[in-house]
Amino acid sequence: HNLRQFAADLRIGSTPDQPLPLPLLLASLKSKARTLPPQLVTRMVRAAFHNEPLPRQILVAALDRIRLPPDNFDRFHMHQRCALIKAALLRSPTRSPEWEVTVSLDEDNREVPYLLGRLFAVLEQLQEAALGSVNASIRDRYFGAASMTPGLTFPRLLKLSIHHAAKAERVGQYLEKIKSSIMAGFPAATLPRLFDLNQQGLFAIGYYHQREKRFEKGVVHD
C-alpha cells in the first residue's frame, strides 16, 4: 500500500501511470557542481516503504537543478525533478494544508506560487515565439530569481513580454490571452517579495504543468 502511494505521489503530467525507477530519479538531480550523499538513497527507500516525508535535501536538490541551464534531455529530466518536487510537497509536514498539488494542470488553483509558475512558462513561450532559439532564454537568466524573489523579477519580465507578444503576432495574441487569464487569478495587485522553499516547489509545479500544456494535441505553440 505504501509503495503504491509513493508511486501516486510521484505521478505528474500526462505520462503513463507506472513507477519511476529510483536510480533515474536521483540521477536527474546530479550535476557537475553537486554530488548526492550516499545515505540519501537509504532515506528515500525508507520514506517509500514507511510513507514518511522525503528528505528535505530532495526538494533543495531538485530546485537547484531546475535553476541550471537545460541539458540535452531537458523534458525527460524536468519530468523526474518535478515528480520528486510534487512528492516532497505532498509529504511535507510544513506544507499549507489547503494546498492542492495535482497530477496535471489545475486552472482553478489560485495559490500565488502556482499561478506565477504558470505565468513564467507562458512568458518563456512568448519569448520563444518572438525570437526563436536564443543564447540565454528567460529561463536561463531568470528562473531562479523569479521562483525566489517574484516581486523583484516579474515586473521586468512582464515588460519584456509586451515586446515579445508584438513580435509573435498570431501566437502572441493567443499567449497574451492565457497570460491575462492567469493574472486575473491573483488575489492582490502586489506580488510577494520572497518565496520559501515549499512555495518555490509549487512555483516549479505550476511552471511544469503549464509548460507541458503546449505539447497537448491541438494546442498552438509555435
Side-chain angles (χ1 to χ4, degrees):
H1 174 79
N2 286 346
L3 289 176
R4 285 196 202 98
Q5 185 59 54
F6 184 61
D9 289 348
L10 287 167
R11 190 174 176 224
I12 189 168
S14 56
T15 55
D17 187 10
Q18 62 187 48
L20 291 167
L22 187 57
L24 285 180
L25 286 168
L26 293 175
S28 74
L29 304 181
K30 294 179 181 178
S31 67
K32 293 179 180 179
R34 174 186 290 275
T35 56
L36 301 177
Q39 65 270 26
L40 199 58
V41 176
T42 305
R43 294 176 64 193
M44 281 279 288
V45 172
R46 178 178 176 83
F49 273 93
H50 295 277
N51 198 24
E52 295 176 351
L54 295 186
R56 196 70 166 169
Q57 292 162 292
I58 293 293
L59 181 57
V60 172
L63 289 170
D64 283 350
R65 192 62 188 83
I66 289 175
R67 294 184 190 114
L68 294 178
D71 49 33
N72 292 332
F73 302 96
D74 181 57
R75 191 181 176 200
F76 179 66
H77 288 155
M78 175 69 75
H79 169 77
Q80 295 170 334
R81 292 160 191 155
C82 287
L84 285 169
I85 290 171
K86 175 176 174 278
L89 290 179
L90 286 172
R91 292 168 178 244
S92 172
T94 60
R95 175 173 67 92
S96 299
E98 68 273 10
W99 275 16
E100 291 284 341
V101 189
T102 55
V103 172
S104 55
L105 181 64
D106 181 6
E107 295 183 345
D108 295 323
N109 191 324
R110 291 294 179 263
E111 294 295 332
V112 173
Y114 186 82
L115 288 171
L116 286 176
R118 290 183 60 199
L119 180 59
F120 190 90
V122 173
L123 300 182
E124 178 187 42
Q125 195 174 350
L126 266 171
Q127 183 191 50
E128 291 176 9
L131 305 179
S133 178
V134 293
N135 289 332
S137 68
I138 66 167
R139 176 177 163 191
D140 297 332
R141 297 178 62 186
Y142 295 109
F143 187 92
S147 63
M148 291 188 286
T149 56
L152 295 175
T153 310
F154 270 94
R156 178 184 299 179
L157 294 178
L158 289 170
K159 284 183 179 179
L160 281 173
S161 75
I162 296 172
H163 302 293
H164 294 156
K167 287 187 176 182
E169 298 178 345
R170 183 177 67 89
V171 178
Q173 294 175 9
Y174 168 76
L175 293 172
E176 275 290 302
K177 289 180 182 178
I178 299 176
K179 184 179 85 171
S180 297
S181 69
I182 294 172
M183 294 181 68
F186 289 125
T190 304
L191 296 176
R193 291 186 60 193
L194 295 170
F195 278 158
D196 63 26
L197 200 62
N198 282 349
Q199 289 171 321
Q200 292 171 42
L202 192 58
F203 179 99
I205 296 297
Y207 170 78
Y208 178 79
H209 282 166
Q210 188 66 48
R211 185 174 180 262
E212 285 297 290
K213 183 74 175 177
R214 66 190 296 184
F215 297 108
E216 291 182 7
K217 186 177 180 180
V219 175
V220 177
H221 57 80
D222 55 22

